[in-house]
Amino acid sequence: MEEKDAVVVFTARSPDRIINEGGSQAWVLNPARAKLARWLVCTQNRHNPNYEFSDATEPHGAAFLVGRISGVRRSPEEGSEDRWIIEIGEFALVSVPDVWKHWRNPVRYMSIKELSIDVKSLSFEPMPKVSEATAVPPVAAKASGALTIAEAKKGIALTFGVHPDAVEITIRG
C-alpha cells in the first residue's frame, strides 16, 4: 500500500489567494492526519455557487498548485472555528488536467504518485512572508481606532496561531 503523502483539496480559491494566505483553508479535516502528509495539491473548483467567495482562475478539476506542507493550524477565517489551514513553506505552480475525479469530499488523502505528479521535476519557490495586509482575515480597523473584545481576540489569535477562544483579555481600570 502506497503512503498517503498528499492532501488533495478541491478549492474555489485562486493560486494568488492561496499564496497570499500562506496555504489553503478553511477545511474540515483530520489535522493529525494532514500533518503526516508532505504535499498539498490544490485542484480547482470552478462550480462553487458562492461567487463572492470564489476567485477561481484555473480549469475546473485541474491541479494548479503543489505545496510542501509546513504546518496545519486552525483557520483564522471568521466563522471557521472547526476548520483548518494547511500551511505551505514553498510551492510550485502546475497545470495537470482532470486530477479531481468528482470525489464526494473536497479533502482527500492520497499518494503523490497516484496523481502522476513528479515533485522532483517541479521548481519550488519559497512562500512570500504573509503580511498583515494580506493575512486573512484582516483585523477590522475602525475609524476611531477602537476594537471590540471579539476583534482584539481574533487579531491576537491570528498573530499567535491559536483559536480566538484560547485568548483571554483582562482589562484593569
Side-chain angles (χ1 to χ4, degrees):
M1 184 171 179
E2 287 187 286
E3 176 187 11
K4 299 200 182 296
D5 58 354
V7 180
V8 183
V9 297
F10 188 50
T11 180
R13 297 184 186 198
S14 69
D16 287 344
R17 184 169 176 187
I18 291 167
I19 292 165
N20 286 337
E21 292 177 354
S24 184
Q25 63 181 324
W27 299 109
V28 174
L29 53 74
N30 178 337
R33 188 172 182 188
K35 286 177 185 178
L36 295 175
R38 293 184 61 202
W39 307 106
L40 169 67
V41 178
C42 296
T43 62
Q44 192 73 89
N45 178 358
R46 295 290 298 242
H47 301 156
N48 188 309
N50 186 348
Y51 296 106
E52 292 176 18
F53 166 81
S54 176
D55 66 342
T57 57
E58 306 306 306
H60 185 75
F64 63 89
L65 184 145
V66 175
R68 190 179 311 269
I69 296 175
S70 61
V72 177
R73 66 178 174 89
R74 290 199 185 274
S75 175
E77 286 192 344
E78 187 174 333
S80 297
E81 288 75 28
D82 35 345
R83 292 180 177 258
W84 301 85
I85 180 170
I86 303 168
E87 298 174 311
I88 52 178
E90 52 185 10
F91 70 95
L93 298 177
V94 298
S95 182
V96 184
D98 302 319
V99 169
W100 190 258
K101 303 294 183 203
H102 308 286
W103 294 298
R104 182 174 182 174
N105 295 315
V107 176
R108 188 162 178 89
Y109 304 93
M110 301 180 71
S111 161
I112 198 79
K113 289 179 184 175
E114 282 181 82
L115 301 168
S116 300
I117 296 174
D118 179 11
V119 290
K120 292 178 184 170
S121 70
L122 300 178
S123 296
F124 285 90
E125 299 177 42
M127 287 291 286
K129 185 152 177 72
V130 178
S131 70
E132 286 184 35
T134 60
V136 171
V139 177
K142 296 182 178 178
S144 67
L147 292 174
T148 66
I149 296 291
E151 290 168 334
K153 282 183 163 191
K154 283 181 189 173
I156 292 167
L158 182 62
T159 300
F160 293 101
V162 299
H163 191 272
D165 291 342
V167 176
E168 294 181 9
I169 296 176
T170 303
I171 301 170
R172 295 192 172 97

